[in-house]
């Protein structure tokens, strides 16, 4: 049975690759993705999650959340 995980991500290119690999794994279930500011601002990270998931053409998206802007 796959282990459910929640991924917090700034969804830069490194995270996009890691998320794509995680979503293709049969050992884990990506239960959700939460955007955080980091290498890119929070708003861009949130938009990037949608762009990456759209590009992967998944049948079912994991839950997606937006972190708090701590500025």
């Amino acid at each position: 049975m796959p282990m459910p995980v929640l991924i917090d991500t700034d969804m830069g290119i490194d995270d996009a690759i890691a998320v794509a690999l995680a979503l293709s794994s049969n050992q884990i279930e990506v239960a959700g993705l939460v955007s955080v500011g980091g290498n890119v601002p929070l708003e861009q990270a949130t938009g990037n999650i949608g762009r990456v998931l759209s590009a992967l053409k998944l049948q079912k998206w994991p839950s997606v959340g937006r972190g708090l802007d701590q500025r």
Side-chain angles (χ1 to χ4, degrees), residues 12-71:
I13 187 64
D14 56 336
D15 288 2
I17 293 168
V19 166
L21 289 171
L23 288 166
S24 68
S25 173
N26 59 2
Q27 295 180 4
I28 63 172
E29 172 198 349
V30 178
L33 297 166
V34 178
S35 62
V36 296
N39 291 334
V40 299
L42 178 61
E43 292 300 323
Q44 184 177 350
T46 305
N48 287 351
I49 289 175
R51 286 186 276 282
V52 168
L53 294 177
S54 291
L56 293 173
K57 300 184 189 288
L58 302 173
Q59 290 183 5
K60 182 182 177 212
W61 283 21
S63 296
V64 176
R66 180 184 180 276
L68 297 175
D69 192 350
Q70 297 296 315
R71 289 186 261 162

